[in-house]
Amino acid sequence: MEPQDASSLLAKLSAIVNSEIENEVAQALDYQPLALASAATYIRQVRQNKATSNFGWKDYLNKLDTGQRGTTEAIHAETNPSYQKSMTAATTLAVERQMTSDRVIDHTFRFLYLCAPQPLSLDIVINYILNVDEEIKDKETISMRIQRCSLLLFEEQETGVYIRVHQVVHDVISTVITDLPEIQRLQVVNGAVRSFTQFIDENKSEDSNLGTVHRDLGELQQAKEYHDRALDILLEKLGPEHVDVARTYNNLGSVHSKLGEPQREKECHDRALAILLKKLGPEHVDVATAYSNLGTVHRNLGELQQAKEYYDRALDIRLKSLDLSINLGIVHSDLGELQQAKEFYDRALAIRLKKLGPEHVDVATTYSNLAVEHSALGDQQQAKDYHDRALAIYLKKLGPEHVDVARVYNNLGHIHSKLGDQQQAKEYYDRALAIYLKKLGPEHVDVARAYNNLGTVHIKLGELLQAKEYQDRALAIFLKKLGLEHVDVATTYCNLGTIHIKLGKLLQAKEYHDRALAIFLKRSDLSMLMSQLFSII
């Protein structure tokens, strides 16, 4: 309702005329007609009792503050024949229905439960949902579904869209969320903290971001103004030697370059370099960028020898960074730190594409590395795309029978198996096996792993005798080449155990699983056994 109408309704139904306090009550009830009617009915009935005839709106607001909303709504629900549900009861049904049927709204309500019922940036809410639910990835879809929810309120401000809930909705959500297990409530808190932190980090240099936008639009004076403002703020908040200050100097240098002010440009990049050298060391990639910027400045000034010196320094760092990025990616991958590994491989890919071109075999190798990380992170489509890119390069540069081609076929087999396309997975595994047999010989461990992969696919296809044949071949090679206690031997025992279960040969299955368990226990890696079992059953 409109504020004036809400105040009039309260006055009419309660028989109390006090416009100032009525406005406060109406605002507290978010101008909701049913809530207003329930409040006015309650206060009128209470005041009819001589013992409580002085009861007023201030007393009513105190009840709201102490969580007694349900008590105040009961009288209206009992005396209103046309709608015998209280505002809280009706809202509870609506909230529970929304949380059950829509995961985006469920996450939104859980997040808003933690916050006071004050306007909150929609961007923060979206960021929270992206943090806590890996299956929901599209920001536009999240925003659309949130803004279609009638239980939420929205305000458009200069800085964006803000979201809040009616007070009664907030109270209902609090009741629902309080009933959640402790672990789920802690997960909500953790996601909320990460979302606020990321949002703050992303927006602390908003003036700098606006400056970059105006620079790209060709509005150079406006860009310079925003970057100058960002620099003033960062100098005050972070001090003169912070890396964010250096990056702002770099941004200003770029603007001065476009303004045709090379000396001012050089001054900015010199300051940036001095900070980055001190804070990040002489071999950091940001230092390489600063050297490259200064190389461009001196080239534009016609000082070619100085430009060459700066470019050479930048190149040396980036070549070292390439090796470091790849090695760090491998280490993080081995440690199971998949997101960090992906970030280093992304950095290596950017360098290799720039230095080697899009069809170099080292670029293909980096595509393969990234594909493995995306697969482990659950993004099989992106993993497939990277493997396909790697395969196209390897086929062109190395030929159709190279072992690196076989490895990509093998990886594509993994991806298609995870995607549920076992026939396509089998086709890729067959191609890999043919190359391995021809290039490596019949007793190589890569041949055994290809047999193992084919055996696993045949299990999923229900072709158990063929699966057993492949697993037996794999086991024979693994035992000969790797010994009795290798993890690949344990994995094959596990697969053979699963096959015998499906064949109804339970004693033989138990024997194989006992052998696998003995190896995994010696390796203190029981989790790997469980992973193997669940991946094929």
Side-chain angles (χ1 to χ4, degrees):
M1 297 182 69
E2 292 297 322
Q4 184 175 354
D5 294 336
S7 297
S8 298
L9 178 63
L10 287 175
K12 181 177 181 180
L13 294 181
S14 66
I16 300 176
V17 179
N18 184 336
S19 59
E20 183 176 342
I21 190 65
E22 286 161 0
N23 289 335
E24 184 179 346
V25 173
Q27 184 176 6
L29 297 174
D30 286 317
Y31 310 107
Q32 292 295 298
L34 182 55
L36 296 168
S38 296
T41 301
Y42 173 77
I43 202 168
R44 187 183 68 243
Q45 292 288 334
V46 170
R47 286 169 64 85
Q48 288 176 359
N49 189 321
K50 291 183 179 180
T52 54
S53 59
N54 292 325
F55 189 89
W57 284 121
K58 290 286 187 184
D59 302 298
Y60 171 80
L61 289 173
N62 287 335
K63 284 189 172 291
L64 288 188
D65 291 339
T66 55
Q68 300 181 62
R69 179 189 293 273
T71 302
T72 68
E73 293 177 340
I75 294 176
H76 183 267
E78 294 169 0
T79 59
N80 184 3
S82 62
Y83 193 81
Q84 296 182 341
K85 286 187 182 295
S86 69
M87 182 69 178
T88 299
T91 303
T92 300
L93 289 174
V95 167
E96 290 177 342
R97 186 181 301 114
Q98 290 269 16
M99 292 181 73
T100 302
S101 63
D102 192 322
R103 281 167 56 186
V104 168
I105 301 303
D106 180 52
H107 289 311
T108 302
F109 284 166
R110 291 181 188 222
F111 184 50
L112 294 176
Y113 151 71
L114 292 174
C115 310
Q118 304 299 324
L120 184 67
S121 170
L122 179 59
D123 289 336
I124 296 180
V125 180
I126 292 172
N127 200 33
Y128 165 77
I129 294 171
L130 292 172
N131 266 318
V132 300
D133 197 325
E134 294 181 354
E135 295 182 12
I136 303 176
K137 299 178 180 179
D138 187 79
K139 290 184 178 180
E140 287 70 27
T141 298
I142 296 173
S143 177
M144 175 190 68
R145 286 162 70 176
I146 290 176
Q147 294 188 70
R148 286 170 53 187
C149 179
S150 60
L151 293 171
L152 300 172
L153 300 172
F154 301 92
E155 300 176 10
E156 290 193 17
Q157 301 181 15
E158 289 184 2
T159 53
V161 178
Y162 284 75
I163 179 176
R164 68 181 181 92
V165 291
H166 298 291
Q167 181 60 56
V168 64
V169 176
H170 189 271
D171 292 344
V172 168
I173 295 171
S174 300
T175 302
V176 174
I177 299 297
T178 302
D179 294 335
L180 290 174
E182 180 69 15
I183 184 64
Q184 290 189 28
R185 282 185 278 137
L186 288 175
Q187 288 169 349
V188 174
V189 173
N190 181 55
V193 170
R194 280 188 293 150
S195 300
F196 277 111
T197 301
Q198 291 170 3
F199 186 80
I200 292 169
D201 288 343
E202 289 169 3
N203 289 276
K204 67 182 179 182
S205 300
E206 184 175 343
D207 284 326
S208 183
N209 294 334
L210 285 168
T212 302
V213 170
H214 282 284
R215 183 195 66 192
D216 293 341
L217 290 171
E219 300 167 353
L220 301 179
Q221 289 297 339
Q222 187 69 58
K224 178 181 176 299
E225 180 181 329
Y226 278 119
H227 285 313
D228 282 335
R229 189 184 305 170
L231 180 62
D232 289 340
I233 295 170
L234 292 171
L235 285 169
E236 180 181 351
K237 298 294 185 183
L238 304 177
E241 295 184 346
H242 196 279
V243 291
D244 285 347
V245 171
R247 291 174 181 133
T248 305
Y249 278 131
N250 270 330
N251 291 333
L252 271 169
S254 298
V255 173
H256 284 296
S257 175
K258 292 180 179 293
L259 286 169
E261 301 169 349
Q263 289 300 334
R264 296 292 303 277
E265 176 189 5
K266 178 179 178 300
E267 180 182 334
C268 288
H269 289 313
D270 279 335
R271 292 183 182 178
L273 176 62
I275 297 169
L276 294 172
L277 280 170
K278 184 172 183 178
K279 292 297 183 180
L280 303 178
E283 295 187 353
H284 195 277
V285 291
D286 286 352
V287 173
T289 299
Y291 279 138
S292 182
N293 290 337
L294 280 165
T296 301
V297 171
H298 284 281
R299 186 189 68 196
N300 292 337
L301 289 170
E303 301 167 354
L304 301 183
Q305 191 59 42
Q306 186 66 61
K308 178 180 181 300
E309 182 180 332
Y310 280 123
Y311 284 140
D312 285 340
R313 292 182 191 178
L315 179 60
D316 287 342
I317 295 171
R318 283 173 174 157
L319 289 175
K320 290 179 181 178
S321 175
L322 171 59
D323 294 335
L324 181 63
S325 293
I326 293 170
N327 291 334
L328 283 170
I330 293 170
V331 169
H332 281 290
S333 182
D334 290 343
L335 288 171
E337 298 167 349
L338 305 179
Q339 189 61 42
Q340 293 92 324
K342 175 186 168 299
E343 290 172 6
F344 282 112
Y345 287 139
D346 280 332
R347 187 179 302 173
L349 177 62
I351 297 171
R352 281 181 162 170
L353 282 169
K354 186 173 183 178
K355 298 299 179 185
L356 305 175
E359 294 188 348
H360 196 280
V361 290
D362 288 347
V363 171
T365 301
T366 312
Y367 280 138
S368 287
N369 292 337
L370 276 166
V372 171
E373 301 311 317
H374 277 282
S375 178
L377 288 166
D379 190 350
Q380 307 307 330
Q381 288 296 338
Q382 183 63 68
K384 178 181 177 299
D385 179 61
Y386 279 129
H387 279 316
D388 284 337
R389 294 184 195 182
L391 179 61
I393 296 171
Y394 283 145
L395 286 171
K396 183 174 182 178
K397 297 296 183 177
L398 303 177
E401 294 185 348
H402 196 278
V403 290
D404 285 346
V405 172
R407 292 189 178 103
V408 178
Y409 283 143
N410 187 65
N411 290 332
L412 281 166
H414 291 331
I415 298 301
H416 282 281
S417 181
K418 289 180 179 180
L419 290 171
D421 190 350
Q422 305 307 327
Q423 287 294 343
Q424 185 64 64
K426 176 181 175 298
E427 181 179 332
Y428 279 120
Y429 286 143
D430 281 332
R431 293 182 190 177
L433 176 61
I435 297 172
Y436 285 145
L437 284 170
K438 184 173 182 178
K439 296 294 183 177
L440 304 177
E443 294 188 347
H444 195 279
V445 291
D446 284 347
V447 171
R449 291 182 180 121
Y451 283 141
N452 199 314
N453 292 333
L454 279 164
T456 301
V457 166
H458 281 286
I459 292 174
K460 293 178 179 179
L461 290 170
E463 299 166 353
L464 301 179
L465 294 179
Q466 184 65 62
K468 179 179 179 300
E469 180 181 337
Y470 279 125
Q471 297 294 346
D472 284 336
R473 292 183 192 178
L475 180 62
I477 298 171
F478 285 144
L479 287 170
K480 183 175 181 178
K481 295 292 184 177
L482 303 177
L484 297 174
E485 296 183 356
H486 195 275
V487 63
D488 287 343
V489 172
T491 298
T492 310
Y493 280 142
C494 191
N495 292 342
L496 281 164
T498 299
I499 291 169
H500 282 86
I501 288 175
K502 293 179 179 291
L503 288 171
K505 299 178 180 180
L506 301 184
L507 289 177
Q508 186 67 57
K510 179 180 181 300
E511 180 181 339
Y512 280 123
H513 284 311
D514 284 342
R515 293 181 190 176
L517 178 60
I519 297 171
F520 284 125
L521 286 174
K522 284 185 178 180
R523 296 174 55 87
S524 299
D525 206 348
L526 186 59
S527 62
M528 188 176 290
L529 170 63
M530 301 305 295
S531 175
Q532 291 295 329
L533 284 169
F534 286 117
S535 69
I536 56 180
I537 292 177

PDB file of all heavy atoms in Angstrom, residues 19 31 35 41 51 102 106 113 120 128-129 156 172 223 231 240 248 326 335 357 401-402 424 429 468 509:
ATOM      1  N   SER A  19      -0.737  10.365  13.578  1.00  0.00           N
ATOM      2  CA  SER A  19      -0.145  10.151  12.260  1.00  0.00           C
ATOM      3  C   SER A  19       1.338   9.815  12.320  1.00  0.00           C
ATOM      4  O   SER A  19       1.839   9.007  11.541  1.00  0.00           O
ATOM      5  CB  SER A  19      -0.363  11.383  11.379  1.00  0.00           C
ATOM      6  OG  SER A  19       0.212  12.532  11.986  1.00  0.00           O
ATOM      7  N   TYR A  31       4.041  -1.811   4.903  1.00  0.00           N
ATOM      8  CA  TYR A  31       2.829  -1.376   4.200  1.00  0.00           C
ATOM      9  C   TYR A  31       2.034  -2.568   3.625  1.00  0.00           C
ATOM     10  O   TYR A  31       1.314  -2.424   2.647  1.00  0.00           O
ATOM     11  CB  TYR A  31       3.176  -0.389   3.073  1.00  0.00           C
ATOM     12  CG  TYR A  31       4.079   0.726   3.539  1.00  0.00           C
ATOM     13  CD1 TYR A  31       5.416   0.762   3.170  1.00  0.00           C
ATOM     14  CD2 TYR A  31       3.588   1.738   4.369  1.00  0.00           C
ATOM     15  CE1 TYR A  31       6.252   1.787   3.613  1.00  0.00           C
ATOM     16  CE2 TYR A  31       4.417   2.765   4.820  1.00  0.00           C
ATOM     17  CZ  TYR A  31       5.754   2.784   4.440  1.00  0.00           C
ATOM     18  OH  TYR A  31       6.585   3.791   4.888  1.00  0.00           O
ATOM     19  N   ALA A  35      -0.849  -7.507   7.178  1.00  0.00           N
ATOM     20  CA  ALA A  35      -0.111  -7.211   8.408  1.00  0.00           C
ATOM     21  C   ALA A  35      -0.683  -5.980   9.103  1.00  0.00           C
ATOM     22  O   ALA A  35      -0.815  -5.938  10.333  1.00  0.00           O
ATOM     23  CB  ALA A  35       1.366  -7.006   8.083  1.00  0.00           C
ATOM     24  N   THR A  41      -6.305  -4.595  14.352  1.00  0.00           N
ATOM     25  CA  THR A  41      -7.297  -5.408  15.066  1.00  0.00           C
ATOM     26  C   THR A  41      -6.786  -5.778  16.456  1.00  0.00           C
ATOM     27  O   THR A  41      -7.529  -5.714  17.449  1.00  0.00           O
ATOM     28  CB  THR A  41      -7.617  -6.684  14.264  1.00  0.00           C
ATOM     29  OG1 THR A  41      -8.117  -6.318  12.976  1.00  0.00           O
ATOM     30  CG2 THR A  41      -8.638  -7.544  14.993  1.00  0.00           C
ATOM     31  N   ALA A  51      -7.942  -3.162  31.789  1.00  0.00           N
ATOM     32  CA  ALA A  51      -6.613  -3.311  32.388  1.00  0.00           C
ATOM     33  C   ALA A  51      -5.506  -2.906  31.417  1.00  0.00           C
ATOM     34  O   ALA A  51      -4.395  -2.588  31.837  1.00  0.00           O
ATOM     35  CB  ALA A  51      -6.404  -4.759  32.841  1.00  0.00           C
ATOM     36  N   ASP A 102      12.739 -23.568  -5.718  1.00  0.00           N
ATOM     37  CA  ASP A 102      13.684 -22.750  -6.478  1.00  0.00           C
ATOM     38  C   ASP A 102      14.975 -22.588  -5.684  1.00  0.00           C
ATOM     39  O   ASP A 102      15.011 -21.927  -4.656  1.00  0.00           O
ATOM     40  CB  ASP A 102      13.076 -21.369  -6.765  1.00  0.00           C
ATOM     41  CG  ASP A 102      13.875 -20.574  -7.791  1.00  0.00           C
ATOM     42  OD1 ASP A 102      15.112 -20.646  -7.755  1.00  0.00           O
ATOM     43  OD2 ASP A 102      13.249 -19.876  -8.608  1.00  0.00           O
ATOM     44  N   ASP A 106      16.031 -20.134  -2.603  1.00  0.00           N
ATOM     45  CA  ASP A 106      16.448 -20.769  -1.356  1.00  0.00           C
ATOM     46  C   ASP A 106      17.762 -20.166  -0.871  1.00  0.00           C
ATOM     47  O   ASP A 106      17.900 -19.768   0.293  1.00  0.00           O
ATOM     48  CB  ASP A 106      16.605 -22.273  -1.581  1.00  0.00           C
ATOM     49  CG  ASP A 106      17.036 -23.003  -0.317  1.00  0.00           C
ATOM     50  OD1 ASP A 106      16.380 -22.821   0.719  1.00  0.00           O
ATOM     51  OD2 ASP A 106      18.026 -23.753  -0.366  1.00  0.00           O
ATOM     52  N   TYR A 113      18.789 -13.945   5.521  1.00  0.00           N
ATOM     53  CA  TYR A 113      18.564 -14.258   6.937  1.00  0.00           C
ATOM     54  C   TYR A 113      19.701 -13.714   7.802  1.00  0.00           C
ATOM     55  O   TYR A 113      19.485 -13.249   8.928  1.00  0.00           O
ATOM     56  CB  TYR A 113      18.437 -15.766   7.107  1.00  0.00           C
ATOM     57  CG  TYR A 113      18.877 -16.286   8.456  1.00  0.00           C
ATOM     58  CD1 TYR A 113      18.135 -16.039   9.610  1.00  0.00           C
ATOM     59  CD2 TYR A 113      20.047 -17.045   8.583  1.00  0.00           C
ATOM     60  CE1 TYR A 113      18.544 -16.523  10.840  1.00  0.00           C
ATOM     61  CE2 TYR A 113      20.459 -17.533   9.803  1.00  0.00           C
ATOM     62  CZ  TYR A 113      19.714 -17.277  10.933  1.00  0.00           C
ATOM     63  OH  TYR A 113      20.120 -17.743  12.139  1.00  0.00           O
ATOM     64  N   LEU A 120      20.323  -4.411   0.429  1.00  0.00           N
ATOM     65  CA  LEU A 120      21.614  -5.057   0.199  1.00  0.00           C
ATOM     66  C   LEU A 120      21.829  -5.150  -1.300  1.00  0.00           C
ATOM     67  O   LEU A 120      20.909  -5.488  -2.050  1.00  0.00           O
ATOM     68  CB  LEU A 120      21.611  -6.454   0.824  1.00  0.00           C
ATOM     69  CG  LEU A 120      22.903  -7.257   0.775  1.00  0.00           C
ATOM     70  CD1 LEU A 120      23.967  -6.589   1.647  1.00  0.00           C
ATOM     71  CD2 LEU A 120      22.658  -8.675   1.272  1.00  0.00           C
ATOM     72  N   TYR A 128      27.188 -14.320  -3.727  1.00  0.00           N
ATOM     73  CA  TYR A 128      27.024 -15.362  -2.710  1.00  0.00           C
ATOM     74  C   TYR A 128      26.544 -16.668  -3.347  1.00  0.00           C
ATOM     75  O   TYR A 128      27.090 -17.745  -3.080  1.00  0.00           O
ATOM     76  CB  TYR A 128      26.028 -14.903  -1.646  1.00  0.00           C
ATOM     77  CG  TYR A 128      25.535 -16.023  -0.763  1.00  0.00           C
ATOM     78  CD1 TYR A 128      26.326 -16.529   0.249  1.00  0.00           C
ATOM     79  CD2 TYR A 128      24.284 -16.599  -0.973  1.00  0.00           C
ATOM     80  CE1 TYR A 128      25.894 -17.577   1.051  1.00  0.00           C
ATOM     81  CE2 TYR A 128      23.833 -17.638  -0.181  1.00  0.00           C
ATOM     82  CZ  TYR A 128      24.646 -18.124   0.832  1.00  0.00           C
ATOM     83  OH  TYR A 128      24.212 -19.178   1.602  1.00  0.00           O
ATOM     84  N   ILE A 129      25.545 -16.584  -4.211  1.00  0.00           N
ATOM     85  CA  ILE A 129      24.991 -17.793  -4.829  1.00  0.00           C
ATOM     86  C   ILE A 129      26.036 -18.482  -5.703  1.00  0.00           C
ATOM     87  O   ILE A 129      26.170 -19.713  -5.698  1.00  0.00           O
ATOM     88  CB  ILE A 129      23.726 -17.449  -5.643  1.00  0.00           C
ATOM     89  CG1 ILE A 129      22.615 -16.969  -4.696  1.00  0.00           C
ATOM     90  CG2 ILE A 129      23.242 -18.640  -6.454  1.00  0.00           C
ATOM     91  CD1 ILE A 129      21.391 -16.405  -5.394  1.00  0.00           C
ATOM     92  N   GLU A 156      16.126   0.735  -6.899  1.00  0.00           N
ATOM     93  CA  GLU A 156      17.159   1.119  -7.858  1.00  0.00           C
ATOM     94  C   GLU A 156      17.823   2.400  -7.389  1.00  0.00           C
ATOM     95  O   GLU A 156      17.165   3.415  -7.179  1.00  0.00           O
ATOM     96  CB  GLU A 156      16.550   1.307  -9.258  1.00  0.00           C
ATOM     97  CG  GLU A 156      16.091   0.005  -9.899  1.00  0.00           C
ATOM     98  CD  GLU A 156      15.790   0.172 -11.375  1.00  0.00           C
ATOM     99  OE1 GLU A 156      16.232   1.177 -11.963  1.00  0.00           O
ATOM    100  OE2 GLU A 156      15.105  -0.706 -11.930  1.00  0.00           O
ATOM    101  N   VAL A 172      10.000 -14.844   9.179  1.00  0.00           N
ATOM    102  CA  VAL A 172       9.684 -16.221   8.780  1.00  0.00           C
ATOM    103  C   VAL A 172      10.950 -16.957   8.344  1.00  0.00           C
ATOM    104  O   VAL A 172      11.180 -18.110   8.729  1.00  0.00           O
ATOM    105  CB  VAL A 172       8.635 -16.217   7.646  1.00  0.00           C
ATOM    106  CG1 VAL A 172       8.518 -17.612   7.029  1.00  0.00           C
ATOM    107  CG2 VAL A 172       7.285 -15.762   8.186  1.00  0.00           C
ATOM    108  N   ALA A 223      38.826   9.843 -18.091  1.00  0.00           N
ATOM    109  CA  ALA A 223      39.603   8.707 -17.594  1.00  0.00           C
ATOM    110  C   ALA A 223      40.691   9.174 -16.638  1.00  0.00           C
ATOM    111  O   ALA A 223      40.908   8.589 -15.562  1.00  0.00           O
ATOM    112  CB  ALA A 223      40.207   7.941 -18.772  1.00  0.00           C
ATOM    113  N   LEU A 231      43.999   7.227  -7.408  1.00  0.00           N
ATOM    114  CA  LEU A 231      45.353   7.307  -6.863  1.00  0.00           C
ATOM    115  C   LEU A 231      45.353   8.027  -5.519  1.00  0.00           C
ATOM    116  O   LEU A 231      46.020   7.587  -4.570  1.00  0.00           O
ATOM    117  CB  LEU A 231      46.261   8.036  -7.858  1.00  0.00           C
ATOM    118  CG  LEU A 231      47.722   8.206  -7.437  1.00  0.00           C
ATOM    119  CD1 LEU A 231      48.384   6.851  -7.252  1.00  0.00           C
ATOM    120  CD2 LEU A 231      48.474   9.039  -8.464  1.00  0.00           C
ATOM    121  N   PRO A 240      52.243   4.935  -0.067  1.00  0.00           N
ATOM    122  CA  PRO A 240      52.838   5.194  -1.381  1.00  0.00           C
ATOM    123  C   PRO A 240      53.540   4.002  -2.017  1.00  0.00           C
ATOM    124  O   PRO A 240      53.995   4.114  -3.160  1.00  0.00           O
ATOM    125  CB  PRO A 240      53.851   6.306  -1.073  1.00  0.00           C
ATOM    126  CG  PRO A 240      54.224   6.087   0.359  1.00  0.00           C
ATOM    127  CD  PRO A 240      52.986   5.581   1.036  1.00  0.00           C
ATOM    128  N   THR A 248      47.810   1.703 -10.422  1.00  0.00           N
ATOM    129  CA  THR A 248      47.117   2.935 -10.804  1.00  0.00           C
ATOM    130  C   THR A 248      48.050   3.863 -11.570  1.00  0.00           C
ATOM    131  O   THR A 248      47.629   4.534 -12.522  1.00  0.00           O
ATOM    132  CB  THR A 248      46.552   3.632  -9.552  1.00  0.00           C
ATOM    133  OG1 THR A 248      45.721   2.711  -8.842  1.00  0.00           O
ATOM    134  CG2 THR A 248      45.711   4.832  -9.936  1.00  0.00           C
ATOM    135  N   ILE A 326      54.177 -23.276 -15.202  1.00  0.00           N
ATOM    136  CA  ILE A 326      53.887 -24.675 -15.511  1.00  0.00           C
ATOM    137  C   ILE A 326      54.239 -25.565 -14.323  1.00  0.00           C
ATOM    138  O   ILE A 326      53.455 -26.434 -13.918  1.00  0.00           O
ATOM    139  CB  ILE A 326      54.657 -25.100 -16.765  1.00  0.00           C
ATOM    140  CG1 ILE A 326      54.124 -24.356 -17.994  1.00  0.00           C
ATOM    141  CG2 ILE A 326      54.555 -26.603 -16.983  1.00  0.00           C
ATOM    142  CD1 ILE A 326      54.952 -24.520 -19.223  1.00  0.00           C
ATOM    143  N   LEU A 335      48.913 -31.631  -5.480  1.00  0.00           N
ATOM    144  CA  LEU A 335      48.437 -31.412  -4.114  1.00  0.00           C
ATOM    145  C   LEU A 335      46.908 -31.399  -4.028  1.00  0.00           C
ATOM    146  O   LEU A 335      46.352 -31.272  -2.945  1.00  0.00           O
ATOM    147  CB  LEU A 335      48.974 -30.079  -3.577  1.00  0.00           C
ATOM    148  CG  LEU A 335      50.473 -30.034  -3.251  1.00  0.00           C
ATOM    149  CD1 LEU A 335      50.901 -28.610  -2.947  1.00  0.00           C
ATOM    150  CD2 LEU A 335      50.795 -30.933  -2.056  1.00  0.00           C
ATOM    151  N   GLY A 357      52.626 -18.773 -30.614  1.00  0.00           N
ATOM    152  CA  GLY A 357      51.561 -18.862 -31.602  1.00  0.00           C
ATOM    153  C   GLY A 357      50.560 -19.952 -31.255  1.00  0.00           C
ATOM    154  O   GLY A 357      50.823 -20.823 -30.419  1.00  0.00           O
ATOM    155  N   GLU A 401      49.838 -40.902 -35.279  1.00  0.00           N
ATOM    156  CA  GLU A 401      50.275 -42.074 -34.515  1.00  0.00           C
ATOM    157  C   GLU A 401      51.254 -41.715 -33.409  1.00  0.00           C
ATOM    158  O   GLU A 401      51.971 -42.565 -32.889  1.00  0.00           O
ATOM    159  CB  GLU A 401      50.906 -43.105 -35.457  1.00  0.00           C
ATOM    160  CG  GLU A 401      49.905 -43.693 -36.449  1.00  0.00           C
ATOM    161  CD  GLU A 401      50.507 -44.795 -37.306  1.00  0.00           C
ATOM    162  OE1 GLU A 401      51.748 -44.937 -37.282  1.00  0.00           O
ATOM    163  OE2 GLU A 401      49.747 -45.513 -37.962  1.00  0.00           O
ATOM    164  N   HIS A 402      51.301 -40.470 -33.029  1.00  0.00           N
ATOM    165  CA  HIS A 402      52.207 -40.044 -31.966  1.00  0.00           C
ATOM    166  C   HIS A 402      51.592 -40.386 -30.603  1.00  0.00           C
ATOM    167  O   HIS A 402      50.374 -40.351 -30.426  1.00  0.00           O
ATOM    168  CB  HIS A 402      52.456 -38.534 -32.073  1.00  0.00           C
ATOM    169  CG  HIS A 402      53.637 -38.063 -31.292  1.00  0.00           C
ATOM    170  ND1 HIS A 402      53.594 -37.807 -29.938  1.00  0.00           N
ATOM    171  CD2 HIS A 402      54.917 -37.797 -31.685  1.00  0.00           C
ATOM    172  CE1 HIS A 402      54.782 -37.403 -29.529  1.00  0.00           C
ATOM    173  NE2 HIS A 402      55.605 -37.376 -30.570  1.00  0.00           N
ATOM    174  N   GLN A 424      31.205 -43.519 -27.163  1.00  0.00           N
ATOM    175  CA  GLN A 424      32.218 -42.590 -27.651  1.00  0.00           C
ATOM    176  C   GLN A 424      33.501 -42.740 -26.843  1.00  0.00           C
ATOM    177  O   GLN A 424      34.608 -42.665 -27.384  1.00  0.00           O
ATOM    178  CB  GLN A 424      31.707 -41.160 -27.551  1.00  0.00           C
ATOM    179  CG  GLN A 424      32.643 -40.119 -28.158  1.00  0.00           C
ATOM    180  CD  GLN A 424      32.829 -40.282 -29.662  1.00  0.00           C
ATOM    181  OE1 GLN A 424      31.894 -40.139 -30.422  1.00  0.00           O
ATOM    182  NE2 GLN A 424      34.052 -40.600 -30.083  1.00  0.00           N
ATOM    183  N   TYR A 429      39.232 -44.728 -26.400  1.00  0.00           N
ATOM    184  CA  TYR A 429      40.157 -45.654 -25.740  1.00  0.00           C
ATOM    185  C   TYR A 429      40.746 -46.654 -26.741  1.00  0.00           C
ATOM    186  O   TYR A 429      41.938 -47.008 -26.654  1.00  0.00           O
ATOM    187  CB  TYR A 429      39.439 -46.401 -24.614  1.00  0.00           C
ATOM    188  CG  TYR A 429      39.157 -45.573 -23.384  1.00  0.00           C
ATOM    189  CD1 TYR A 429      37.963 -45.757 -22.661  1.00  0.00           C
ATOM    190  CD2 TYR A 429      40.060 -44.621 -22.914  1.00  0.00           C
ATOM    191  CE1 TYR A 429      37.694 -45.015 -21.524  1.00  0.00           C
ATOM    192  CE2 TYR A 429      39.791 -43.876 -21.767  1.00  0.00           C
ATOM    193  CZ  TYR A 429      38.609 -44.082 -21.078  1.00  0.00           C
ATOM    194  OH  TYR A 429      38.341 -43.342 -19.955  1.00  0.00           O
ATOM    195  N   LYS A 468      36.165 -58.183 -18.174  1.00  0.00           N
ATOM    196  CA  LYS A 468      37.087 -59.042 -17.415  1.00  0.00           C
ATOM    197  C   LYS A 468      38.346 -59.334 -18.227  1.00  0.00           C
ATOM    198  O   LYS A 468      39.470 -59.322 -17.686  1.00  0.00           O
ATOM    199  CB  LYS A 468      36.394 -60.350 -17.039  1.00  0.00           C
ATOM    200  CG  LYS A 468      37.282 -61.316 -16.257  1.00  0.00           C
ATOM    201  CD  LYS A 468      36.539 -62.580 -15.893  1.00  0.00           C
ATOM    202  CE  LYS A 468      37.454 -63.532 -15.127  1.00  0.00           C
ATOM    203  NZ  LYS A 468      38.654 -63.931 -15.896  1.00  0.00           N
ATOM    204  N   ALA A 509      34.820 -62.140  -5.986  1.00  0.00           N
ATOM    205  CA  ALA A 509      34.780 -60.690  -5.831  1.00  0.00           C
ATOM    206  C   ALA A 509      35.396 -60.267  -4.511  1.00  0.00           C
ATOM    207  O   ALA A 509      36.177 -59.306  -4.439  1.00  0.00           O
ATOM    208  CB  ALA A 509      33.330 -60.197  -5.922  1.00  0.00           C
TER     209      ALA A 509
END
